[in-house]
Amino acid sequence: MHDPRHTSERPGRRSGPPDLPEDVRDLVAVDLSAAQVQDWSIAGDSFSWTLLAGDADRGHELASLTYVGAVVLHTNRRDLDRAVAAAAEVDRSEVVRSDDGGFEHRVTLVPDYPIVVRFWSVEVRRMPAPDHLRRVR
């Protein structure tokens, strides 16, 4: 049975229930498959990270995601620094509604490293990026 709280990311189009706020629909629209972690920061109640998405055929883009009212679960600063140093790639990504009315962005980095960001709103900034930013793992 389909969970109505669940939204999956699909390349090239907005997905998920139409009742999602526009900012969350923007997040769901980003194809993070095999995106590499470039950097991250925590300031106050926000968590930000930048991921290099895309490939040589489609082109690359930097997706800067800033979650407001954020709590990051299943990770710590040292592990996030390691993810940047290792050019860790996204294996899975999904956005679900949380029981408190907010959202969770559930990301699994290769090989099997889960990160959950609970948030109330998100700012998504996307910009084209040169291919040379993709690091060989």
Side-chain angles (χ1 to χ4, degrees):
M1 181 173 180
H2 176 71
D3 181 347
R5 297 179 309 153
H6 174 81
T7 61
S8 296
E9 296 186 10
R10 293 183 182 100
R13 66 180 223 229
R14 291 183 185 218
S15 61
D19 64 332
L20 290 176
E22 184 175 349
D23 61 332
V24 177
R25 287 194 317 260
D26 289 344
L27 173 60
V28 171
V30 180
D31 180 8
L32 293 178
S33 178
Q36 287 184 332
V37 179
Q38 299 292 299
D39 62 41
W40 67 274
S41 67
I42 295 176
D45 73 340
S46 69
F47 171 72
S48 299
W49 59 351
T50 302
L51 300 134
L52 180 67
D55 57 37
D57 293 333
R58 293 177 304 175
H60 288 94
E61 70 175 348
L62 287 171
S64 177
L65 311 175
T66 301
Y67 309 84
V68 178
V71 176
V72 183
L73 306 172
H74 309 298
T75 193
N76 58 48
R77 293 174 184 270
R78 185 181 64 242
D79 291 338
L80 288 168
D81 285 341
R82 275 191 240 160
V84 171
E89 293 184 358
V90 174
D91 182 41
R92 288 177 313 199
S93 173
E94 66 179 347
V95 176
V96 298
R97 288 189 184 273
S98 59
D99 293 333
D100 63 5
F103 297 90
E104 289 185 355
H105 189 186
R106 299 175 181 173
V107 177
T108 303
L109 301 176
V110 173
D112 189 26
Y113 180 67
I115 297 173
V116 175
V117 182
R118 287 189 182 149
F119 65 97
W120 289 100
S121 65
V122 62
E123 179 184 343
V124 178
R125 291 182 311 254
R126 299 166 76 171
M127 67 187 81
D131 292 346
H132 76 268
L133 289 182
R134 184 140 197 99
R135 295 177 284 162
V136 176
R137 300 184 45 205

